[in-house]
Amino acid sequence: MRGPGRWAVLFALVVLAVVMIFPFVIVAMNAIKSPAEYSSQGPLSLPDGLYLQGIVDFWNRAEFGTKLWNSFLISASVAVLAVVLSVLNAYALGIGRVKGRLWILVLFLVANTLPQESLAYPLYYLAKAAGLYDTQLAVIIVMTAIQAAFGTYLLSAVLGQFPKEILEAAAIDGAGRLRALLRIVVPISRPTINVLLIFFFIWTWNEFFLPLIFLISNDTQTVPVALGILQGERYMDATMSSASALLGVLPAVAFFLIFQRTLTRGVTVGAIK
């Protein structure tokens, strides 16, 4: 690409980067300011020094270490379970060609379009009846089902294009369905599966509505719920609010950066195929 078109693309990329990074930079700057410095110089000024007391105070007040562990446990469990369930479902629908496959996929598609607010009332009473209310297991089960619905729909389309010759060759060599899944389908589809794993983790980590309904005890709450409740019930100055926002987003950003190469590779392989 040459000429004005190239510069237009570069300008658009720069603008996009600024729009995405600027709010994070502002939050980070205000998180390391003292309340007096914030009041006198405003939110857009550069900090004069490194003031970490707001971050320490928020960490202790919110018992943030416990909330981080709760979010990690729930997000990791949901990501792994949803991927496993999606692979099994998609293997049956995409390769096994289950009777009524089209209608099952339509059902999964409809499930993805349902607003979570419509699920809150029945899920609340189901959790109460099962004795799982205010437990992390309830959130894990519900979020696994929600994420697996999307994963099944996506992977079914991917595995539907899987080369049948490879599976026929494996069957001739004596490989059963489970062995073909574990030794052939999963390794070849690993880039797509890794992308789903990353997305499921981040989506679950950022989930607020359903954990807010199911987790009412301080010991079971996740990071987004703790941030919302603490800011709503107790007074926090602007610097401590920025510290809470920074601590809430940093784990997800770190997870994304760690697995950025895996995510890029998965998207690229999917595009090439």
Side-chain angles (χ1 to χ4, degrees), residues 34-187:
S34 65
E37 184 181 351
Y38 180 89
S39 300
S40 61
Q41 300 182 13
L44 298 181
S45 63
L46 295 175
D48 296 332
L50 192 62
Y51 179 83
L52 299 178
Q53 191 59 41
I55 296 178
V56 173
D57 291 342
F58 174 78
W59 185 286
N60 295 329
R61 178 185 295 185
E63 299 179 13
F64 202 72
T66 302
K67 306 304 187 297
L68 280 176
W69 169 248
N70 293 339
S71 287
F72 177 80
L73 177 63
I74 293 175
S75 300
S77 300
V78 169
V80 173
L81 292 175
V83 164
V84 171
L85 192 58
S86 299
V87 169
L88 294 176
N89 292 340
Y91 183 61
L93 294 172
I95 295 179
R97 298 296 179 180
V98 174
K99 185 176 295 185
R101 169 181 177 271
L102 177 61
W103 292 107
I104 296 175
L105 290 178
V106 169
L107 180 63
F108 279 113
L109 179 61
V110 172
N112 284 315
T113 62
L114 286 176
Q116 292 185 353
E117 290 77 7
S118 64
L119 303 174
Y121 185 81
L123 290 177
Y124 169 81
Y125 280 98
L126 282 174
K128 280 279 192 179
L132 296 177
Y133 185 67
D134 197 23
T135 64
Q136 296 166 346
L137 181 59
V139 178
I140 291 174
I141 293 174
V142 172
M143 293 303 301
T144 297
I146 293 175
Q147 308 289 25
F150 173 80
T152 299
Y153 180 78
L154 178 64
L155 281 178
S156 295
V158 174
L159 297 186
Q161 306 298 322
F162 198 88
K164 295 182 180 179
E165 295 79 8
I166 299 178
L167 297 176
E168 292 173 355
I172 293 175
D173 291 338
R177 293 184 178 180
L178 181 59
R179 186 176 179 182
L181 172 64
L182 298 178
R183 297 292 183 88
I184 299 175
V185 176
V186 170

Side-chain angles (χ1 to χ4, degrees), residues 182-200:
L182 298 178
R183 297 292 183 88
I184 299 175
V185 176
V186 170
I188 293 178
S189 306
R190 184 172 297 171
T192 304
I193 294 174
N194 289 338
V195 170
L196 281 180
L197 186 70
I198 295 172
F199 280 157
F200 287 166

